[in-house]
Short mmCIF file of all heavy atoms in Angstrom, two decimals:
data_model
loop_
_atom_site.label_atom_id
_atom_site.label_comp_id
_atom_site.label_asym_id
_atom_site.label_seq_id
_atom_site.Cartn_x
_atom_site.Cartn_y
_atom_site.Cartn_z
N VAL A 71 -12.93 62.47 -46.31
CA VAL A 71 -14.13 61.81 -45.78
C VAL A 71 -15.41 62.54 -46.20
O VAL A 71 -16.34 61.91 -46.70
CB VAL A 71 -14.03 61.68 -44.24
CG1 VAL A 71 -15.40 61.30 -43.64
CG2 VAL A 71 -12.99 60.63 -43.88
N PRO A 72 -15.49 63.88 -46.03
CA PRO A 72 -16.71 64.55 -46.50
C PRO A 72 -16.97 64.35 -47.99
O PRO A 72 -18.13 64.25 -48.40
CB PRO A 72 -16.43 66.03 -46.18
CG PRO A 72 -15.47 66.00 -45.05
CD PRO A 72 -14.61 64.81 -45.29
N LEU A 73 -15.91 64.30 -48.81
CA LEU A 73 -16.12 64.07 -50.24
C LEU A 73 -16.78 62.73 -50.49
O LEU A 73 -17.67 62.60 -51.33
CB LEU A 73 -14.80 64.18 -50.99
CG LEU A 73 -14.32 65.59 -51.32
CD1 LEU A 73 -12.92 65.55 -51.92
CD2 LEU A 73 -15.28 66.30 -52.26
N PHE A 74 -16.33 61.70 -49.79
CA PHE A 74 -16.96 60.38 -49.95
C PHE A 74 -18.42 60.42 -49.51
O PHE A 74 -19.29 59.80 -50.13
CB PHE A 74 -16.21 59.32 -49.15
CG PHE A 74 -15.04 58.71 -49.89
CD1 PHE A 74 -13.77 58.73 -49.34
CD2 PHE A 74 -15.22 58.11 -51.13
CE1 PHE A 74 -12.70 58.16 -50.02
CE2 PHE A 74 -14.17 57.54 -51.81
CZ PHE A 74 -12.89 57.57 -51.26
N MET A 75 -18.71 61.15 -48.44
CA MET A 75 -20.09 61.26 -47.97
C MET A 75 -20.96 61.99 -48.99
O MET A 75 -22.09 61.56 -49.29
CB MET A 75 -20.13 61.98 -46.63
CG MET A 75 -19.51 61.22 -45.48
SD MET A 75 -20.41 59.68 -45.14
CE MET A 75 -19.61 59.15 -43.64
N VAL A 76 -20.45 63.09 -49.53
CA VAL A 76 -21.22 63.85 -50.51
C VAL A 76 -21.45 63.02 -51.76
O VAL A 76 -22.54 63.02 -52.35
CB VAL A 76 -20.50 65.17 -50.85
CG1 VAL A 76 -21.19 65.89 -52.00
CG2 VAL A 76 -20.47 66.09 -49.63
N VAL A 77 -20.42 62.27 -52.19
CA VAL A 77 -20.56 61.42 -53.38
C VAL A 77 -21.66 60.38 -53.17
O VAL A 77 -22.51 60.16 -54.04
CB VAL A 77 -19.23 60.74 -53.71
CG1 VAL A 77 -19.44 59.54 -54.63
CG2 VAL A 77 -18.29 61.73 -54.38
N SER A 78 -21.66 59.72 -52.02
CA SER A 78 -22.68 58.71 -51.74
C SER A 78 -24.08 59.31 -51.81
O SER A 78 -24.99 58.74 -52.44
CB SER A 78 -22.45 58.09 -50.36
OG SER A 78 -21.25 57.33 -50.34
N ALA A 79 -24.25 60.47 -51.18
CA ALA A 79 -25.56 61.10 -51.18
C ALA A 79 -25.92 61.62 -52.57
O ALA A 79 -27.08 61.52 -52.99
CB ALA A 79 -25.58 62.25 -50.17
N PHE A 80 -24.94 62.15 -53.28
CA PHE A 80 -25.19 62.70 -54.61
C PHE A 80 -25.74 61.63 -55.54
O PHE A 80 -26.61 61.89 -56.38
CB PHE A 80 -23.88 63.27 -55.16
CG PHE A 80 -24.03 64.09 -56.40
CD1 PHE A 80 -24.34 65.43 -56.33
CD2 PHE A 80 -23.86 63.53 -57.65
CE1 PHE A 80 -24.46 66.21 -57.47
CE2 PHE A 80 -23.98 64.29 -58.81
CZ PHE A 80 -24.28 65.63 -58.72
N LEU A 81 -25.24 60.41 -55.41
CA LEU A 81 -25.66 59.32 -56.30
C LEU A 81 -26.94 58.64 -55.85
O LEU A 81 -27.66 58.07 -56.68
CB LEU A 81 -24.54 58.27 -56.39
CG LEU A 81 -23.23 58.72 -57.04
CD1 LEU A 81 -22.21 57.59 -56.97
CD2 LEU A 81 -23.45 59.15 -58.48
N LEU A 82 -27.25 58.68 -54.56
CA LEU A 82 -28.32 57.83 -54.03
C LEU A 82 -29.58 58.57 -53.64
O LEU A 82 -30.62 57.94 -53.42
CB LEU A 82 -27.80 57.05 -52.81
CG LEU A 82 -26.65 56.08 -53.08
CD1 LEU A 82 -26.14 55.50 -51.76
CD2 LEU A 82 -27.08 54.97 -54.02
N VAL A 83 -29.52 59.89 -53.54
CA VAL A 83 -30.67 60.67 -53.05
C VAL A 83 -31.20 61.56 -54.17
O VAL A 83 -30.43 62.26 -54.83
CB VAL A 83 -30.25 61.52 -51.84
CG1 VAL A 83 -31.43 62.35 -51.34
CG2 VAL A 83 -29.71 60.65 -50.72
N PRO A 84 -32.52 61.59 -54.37
CA PRO A 84 -33.53 60.76 -53.69
C PRO A 84 -33.55 59.35 -54.26
O PRO A 84 -32.94 59.07 -55.29
CB PRO A 84 -34.83 61.51 -54.02
CG PRO A 84 -34.57 62.14 -55.35
CD PRO A 84 -33.12 62.53 -55.34
N LEU A 85 -34.25 58.47 -53.57
CA LEU A 85 -34.37 57.10 -54.04
C LEU A 85 -35.03 57.06 -55.40
O LEU A 85 -35.89 57.88 -55.73
CB LEU A 85 -35.20 56.26 -53.05
CG LEU A 85 -34.65 56.07 -51.64
CD1 LEU A 85 -35.55 55.10 -50.88
CD2 LEU A 85 -33.22 55.57 -51.65
N LYS A 86 -34.63 56.10 -56.21
CA LYS A 86 -35.26 55.94 -57.51
C LYS A 86 -36.73 55.56 -57.32
O LYS A 86 -37.10 54.91 -56.34
CB LYS A 86 -34.54 54.85 -58.31
CG LYS A 86 -33.11 55.23 -58.69
CD LYS A 86 -32.43 54.11 -59.47
CE LYS A 86 -31.00 54.51 -59.85
NZ LYS A 86 -30.31 53.43 -60.59
N PRO A 87 -37.60 55.95 -58.25
CA PRO A 87 -39.03 55.64 -58.12
C PRO A 87 -39.28 54.15 -57.94
O PRO A 87 -38.70 53.32 -58.64
CB PRO A 87 -39.61 56.14 -59.45
CG PRO A 87 -38.67 57.20 -59.91
CD PRO A 87 -37.30 56.74 -59.46
N GLY A 88 -40.12 53.81 -56.97
CA GLY A 88 -40.48 52.42 -56.73
C GLY A 88 -39.56 51.65 -55.82
O GLY A 88 -39.87 50.51 -55.44
N VAL A 89 -38.41 52.24 -55.44
CA VAL A 89 -37.47 51.55 -54.55
C VAL A 89 -37.94 51.71 -53.10
O VAL A 89 -38.10 52.83 -52.61
CB VAL A 89 -36.04 52.10 -54.69
CG1 VAL A 89 -35.10 51.44 -53.68
CG2 VAL A 89 -35.53 51.87 -56.11
N THR A 90 -38.18 50.60 -52.43
CA THR A 90 -38.63 50.64 -51.04
C THR A 90 -37.44 50.74 -50.10
O THR A 90 -36.29 50.53 -50.49
CB THR A 90 -39.43 49.38 -50.70
OG1 THR A 90 -38.56 48.24 -50.76
CG2 THR A 90 -40.60 49.18 -51.68
N MET A 91 -37.75 51.05 -48.86
CA MET A 91 -36.70 51.11 -47.84
C MET A 91 -35.96 49.78 -47.74
O MET A 91 -34.73 49.74 -47.68
CB MET A 91 -37.31 51.50 -46.48
CG MET A 91 -36.30 51.55 -45.34
SD MET A 91 -37.06 51.94 -43.75
CE MET A 91 -37.35 53.70 -43.93
N GLY A 92 -36.72 48.69 -47.71
CA GLY A 92 -36.11 47.37 -47.60
C GLY A 92 -35.21 47.05 -48.77
O GLY A 92 -34.11 46.49 -48.60
N GLU A 93 -35.65 47.40 -49.98
CA GLU A 93 -34.83 47.14 -51.17
C GLU A 93 -33.55 47.96 -51.14
O GLU A 93 -32.47 47.47 -51.49
CB GLU A 93 -35.64 47.46 -52.43
CG GLU A 93 -36.76 46.48 -52.72
CD GLU A 93 -37.65 46.96 -53.85
OE1 GLU A 93 -37.72 48.19 -54.08
OE2 GLU A 93 -38.29 46.11 -54.49
N PHE A 94 -33.67 49.22 -50.71
CA PHE A 94 -32.49 50.07 -50.64
C PHE A 94 -31.48 49.51 -49.64
O PHE A 94 -30.28 49.40 -49.94
CB PHE A 94 -32.89 51.49 -50.22
CG PHE A 94 -31.72 52.42 -50.04
CD1 PHE A 94 -31.12 53.02 -51.14
CD2 PHE A 94 -31.22 52.69 -48.78
CE1 PHE A 94 -30.04 53.87 -50.97
CE2 PHE A 94 -30.13 53.53 -48.60
CZ PHE A 94 -29.54 54.13 -49.71
N TYR A 95 -31.97 49.15 -48.46
CA TYR A 95 -31.07 48.58 -47.45
C TYR A 95 -30.41 47.30 -47.96
O TYR A 95 -29.21 47.08 -47.77
CB TYR A 95 -31.83 48.28 -46.16
CG TYR A 95 -32.23 49.50 -45.37
CD1 TYR A 95 -33.24 49.41 -44.40
CD2 TYR A 95 -31.63 50.74 -45.58
CE1 TYR A 95 -33.62 50.53 -43.66
CE2 TYR A 95 -32.00 51.85 -44.85
CZ TYR A 95 -32.99 51.74 -43.88
OH TYR A 95 -33.37 52.84 -43.15
N ARG A 96 -31.17 46.45 -48.59
CA ARG A 96 -30.63 45.18 -49.06
C ARG A 96 -29.51 45.40 -50.08
O ARG A 96 -28.45 44.77 -50.01
CB ARG A 96 -31.74 44.32 -49.66
CG ARG A 96 -31.27 42.93 -50.11
CD ARG A 96 -32.44 42.02 -50.42
NE ARG A 96 -33.27 42.54 -51.52
CZ ARG A 96 -34.48 43.07 -51.35
NH1 ARG A 96 -34.99 43.15 -50.13
NH2 ARG A 96 -35.17 43.51 -52.37
N ARG A 97 -29.72 46.31 -51.00
CA ARG A 97 -28.71 46.56 -52.04
C ARG A 97 -27.45 47.18 -51.47
O ARG A 97 -26.33 46.76 -51.78
CB ARG A 97 -29.29 47.48 -53.12
CG ARG A 97 -30.39 46.85 -53.96
CD ARG A 97 -30.98 47.88 -54.92
NE ARG A 97 -32.12 47.34 -55.65
CZ ARG A 97 -32.89 48.07 -56.46
NH1 ARG A 97 -32.61 49.36 -56.64
NH2 ARG A 97 -33.91 47.52 -57.10
N ARG A 98 -27.63 48.20 -50.64
CA ARG A 98 -26.45 48.91 -50.13
C ARG A 98 -25.67 48.07 -49.14
O ARG A 98 -24.44 47.99 -49.21
CB ARG A 98 -26.87 50.23 -49.48
CG ARG A 98 -27.60 51.21 -50.37
CD ARG A 98 -26.97 51.36 -51.74
NE ARG A 98 -25.58 51.75 -51.70
CZ ARG A 98 -24.77 51.75 -52.74
NH1 ARG A 98 -25.22 51.34 -53.92
NH2 ARG A 98 -23.52 52.13 -52.62
N PHE A 99 -26.37 47.44 -48.20
CA PHE A 99 -25.65 46.71 -47.16
C PHE A 99 -25.08 45.39 -47.68
O PHE A 99 -24.08 44.89 -47.16
CB PHE A 99 -26.56 46.48 -45.96
CG PHE A 99 -26.89 47.75 -45.24
CD1 PHE A 99 -28.20 48.05 -44.89
CD2 PHE A 99 -25.91 48.67 -44.93
CE1 PHE A 99 -28.51 49.24 -44.24
CE2 PHE A 99 -26.20 49.86 -44.28
CZ PHE A 99 -27.51 50.14 -43.94
N LYS A 100 -25.69 44.85 -48.74
CA LYS A 100 -25.12 43.66 -49.36
C LYS A 100 -23.76 43.98 -49.98
O LYS A 100 -22.87 43.12 -50.05
CB LYS A 100 -26.08 43.13 -50.43
CG LYS A 100 -25.65 41.81 -51.06
CD LYS A 100 -26.69 41.34 -52.07
CE LYS A 100 -26.27 40.02 -52.72
NZ LYS A 100 -27.29 39.59 -53.73
N ARG A 101 -23.59 45.22 -50.39
CA ARG A 101 -22.32 45.63 -51.01
C ARG A 101 -21.26 45.94 -49.97
O ARG A 101 -20.09 45.59 -50.15
CB ARG A 101 -22.53 46.85 -51.90
CG ARG A 101 -21.24 47.31 -52.57
CD ARG A 101 -21.47 48.48 -53.51
NE ARG A 101 -20.22 48.82 -54.20
CZ ARG A 101 -19.35 49.73 -53.77
NH1 ARG A 101 -19.58 50.39 -52.66
NH2 ARG A 101 -18.25 49.99 -54.47
N ILE A 102 -21.61 46.60 -48.87
CA ILE A 102 -20.56 47.07 -47.96
C ILE A 102 -20.34 46.19 -46.73
O ILE A 102 -19.22 46.14 -46.20
CB ILE A 102 -20.84 48.52 -47.50
CG1 ILE A 102 -22.06 48.59 -46.59
CG2 ILE A 102 -20.96 49.45 -48.68
CD1 ILE A 102 -22.21 49.93 -45.88
N LEU A 103 -21.36 45.48 -46.25
CA LEU A 103 -21.20 44.75 -45.00
C LEU A 103 -20.30 43.51 -45.12
O LEU A 103 -19.45 43.30 -44.23
CB LEU A 103 -22.56 44.39 -44.41
CG LEU A 103 -23.38 45.56 -43.87
CD1 LEU A 103 -24.67 45.06 -43.22
CD2 LEU A 103 -22.57 46.39 -42.87
N PRO A 104 -20.43 42.66 -46.15
CA PRO A 104 -19.50 41.50 -46.22
C PRO A 104 -18.03 41.92 -46.30
O PRO A 104 -17.21 41.36 -45.55
CB PRO A 104 -19.98 40.77 -47.49
CG PRO A 104 -21.43 41.12 -47.60
CD PRO A 104 -21.51 42.54 -47.16
N PRO A 105 -17.64 42.89 -47.16
CA PRO A 105 -16.23 43.32 -47.14
C PRO A 105 -15.82 43.92 -45.80
O PRO A 105 -14.70 43.70 -45.32
CB PRO A 105 -16.16 44.35 -48.26
CG PRO A 105 -17.29 44.02 -49.16
CD PRO A 105 -18.38 43.53 -48.27
N MET A 106 -16.71 44.69 -45.20
CA MET A 106 -16.40 45.28 -43.91
C MET A 106 -16.11 44.20 -42.87
O MET A 106 -15.12 44.26 -42.14
CB MET A 106 -17.55 46.17 -43.44
CG MET A 106 -17.37 46.77 -42.07
SD MET A 106 -18.85 47.68 -41.56
CE MET A 106 -18.42 48.08 -39.86
#
Side-chain angles (χ1 to χ4, degrees):
V71 167
L73 279 174
F74 274 124
M75 293 296 188
V76 173
V77 162
S78 293
F80 191 86
L81 295 177
L82 297 174
V83 179
L85 297 186
K86 294 180 180 179
V89 175
T90 66
M91 178 182 284
E93 289 171 335
F94 177 81
Y95 288 162
R96 184 168 61 253
R97 292 175 185 174
R98 301 315 304 169
F99 292 132
K100 186 178 179 181
R101 180 177 184 268
I102 69 168
L103 290 184
M106 177 185 173

